[in-house]
Amino acid sequence: NAGVTQTPKFQVLKTGQSMTLQCAQDMNHNSMYWYRQDPGMGLRLIYYSASEGTTDKGEVPNGYNVSRLNKREFSLRLESAAPSQTSVYFCASRGDRIETQYFGPGTRLLVL
Amino acid sequence: GNSVTQMEGPVTLSEEAFLTINCTYTATGYPSLFWYVQYPGEGLQLLLKATKADDKGSNKGFEATYRKETTSFHLEKGSVQVSDSAVYFCALSRSYNTDKLIFGTGTRLQVFP
């Protein structure tokens, strides 16, 4: 039981490049989330998915797209990376009727 | 709107000292309240939670009491250890939409031997 896994752990991009951050959970959770963590800002919700096939915007969705590929996987795509997207990205999942969210280890992204 | 305010860090303590990290919130309805901890290089993990007024959450020697009258959920530990060094996040989930957590900015705790 690996919980929530994320790949890659670390990535360096040049401005304008694209990439996809991968997230998978093996806890059979319906809800999944993408956050970004910036110094002094705490965690801010980018997108979330309440169930397979549905996605909704969070607090800071601009510049990102998501795909809920199946119940296990929820990916985050940066189509044209900008330096302002330099951050640590966390994926999380939550089971029904349980308020606790379970977090992955994070992806550290640097956009030059 | 809903928000969480935490004391700024870092909080620097010697081992076995008493810890308090303040957290206050603004919310409509009756939110659930959480403390998450992030150890260096890791993701967040739930430390404790409380779902209604006057509830006390506790785990690993940490405690926090849901105080509706002061809209607070302060984290306390009687005797900290070096291994408690981490970033602590207070968070709330809105009662009518538990899909979303709202986090405070985090407080870094550094414990020295």
Side-chain angles (χ1 to χ4, degrees), chain A:
Chain A
N1 191 339
V4 180
T5 57
Q6 292 182 237
T7 55
K9 288 190 185 322
F10 181 70
Q11 183 73 46
V12 179
L13 292 178
K14 293 181 180 177
T15 297
Q17 287 185 315
S18 62
M19 80 162 293
T20 300
L21 282 65
Q22 306 287 355
C23 173
Q25 52 91 11
D26 62 1
M27 295 176 283
N28 203 37
H29 287 167
N30 277 318
S31 297
M32 297 185 73
Y33 310 82
W34 276 106
Y35 294 91
R36 59 178 289 173
Q37 182 183 28
D38 302 294
M41 303 289 288
L43 275 77
R44 293 180 293 171
L45 183 65
I46 305 171
Y47 270 94
Y48 69 102
S49 170
S51 62
E52 184 179 351
T54 68
T55 61
D56 286 286
K57 295 178 181 179
E59 184 183 355
V60 288
N62 291 345
Y64 305 96
N65 286 301
V66 289
S67 295
R68 184 73 184 268
L69 304 169
N70 47 55
K71 193 170 186 177
R72 288 188 66 247
E73 298 172 289
F74 188 38
S75 62
L76 179 72
R77 182 159 178 85
L78 287 71
E79 290 291 351
S80 179
S84 61
Q85 294 178 304
T86 293
S87 187
V88 181
Y89 292 86
F90 288 101
C91 178
S93 71
R94 181 180 70 84
D96 292 345
R97 294 182 295 280
I98 301 173
E99 292 177 297
T100 303
Q101 291 187 16
Y102 295 85
F103 285 79
T107 294
R108 187 173 296 274
L109 176 66
L110 175 61
V111 183
L112 301 175

Side-chain angles (χ1 to χ4, degrees), chain A residues 31 33 35 37-38 40-45 48-50 57-58 88 90 94 98-106, chain B residues 31-32 34 36 38 41-46 49 51 87 89 93-94 97-106:
Chain A
S31 297
Y33 310 82
Y35 294 91
Q37 182 183 28
D38 302 294
M41 303 289 288
L43 275 77
R44 293 180 293 171
L45 183 65
Y48 69 102
S49 170
K57 295 178 181 179
V88 181
F90 288 101
R94 181 180 70 84
I98 301 173
E99 292 177 297
T100 303
Q101 291 187 16
Y102 295 85
F103 285 79
Chain B
S32 294
F34 306 81
Y36 279 81
Q38 183 181 30
E42 299 183 10
L44 280 71
Q45 54 186 275
L46 180 68
K49 69 177 184 181
T51 57
V87 181
F89 291 92
S93 72
R94 296 171 293 179
N97 182 354
T98 56
D99 248 2
K100 298 178 184 176
L101 283 174
I102 297 171
F103 286 90
T105 54

Side-chain angles (χ1 to χ4, degrees), chain B residues 28-99:
Chain B
T28 54
Y30 302 94
S32 294
L33 301 173
F34 306 81
W35 278 102
Y36 279 81
V37 58
Q38 183 181 30
Y39 297 105
E42 299 183 10
L44 280 71
Q45 54 186 275
L46 180 68
L47 180 60
L48 55 83
K49 69 177 184 181
T51 57
K52 61 183 187 295
D54 299 326
D55 267 2
K56 178 185 284 188
S58 61
N59 186 25
K60 299 182 182 179
F62 291 89
E63 294 183 339
T65 301
Y66 187 164
R67 302 281 189 204
K68 190 161 169 48
E69 64 277 12
T70 55
T71 62
S72 65
F73 193 54
H74 304 322
L75 183 68
E76 296 182 335
K77 186 174 186 183
S79 176
V80 293
Q81 305 300 312
V82 172
S83 58
D84 293 326
S85 297
V87 181
Y88 292 81
F89 291 92
C90 186
L92 69 83
S93 72
R94 296 171 293 179
S95 59
Y96 62 89
N97 182 354
T98 56
D99 248 2

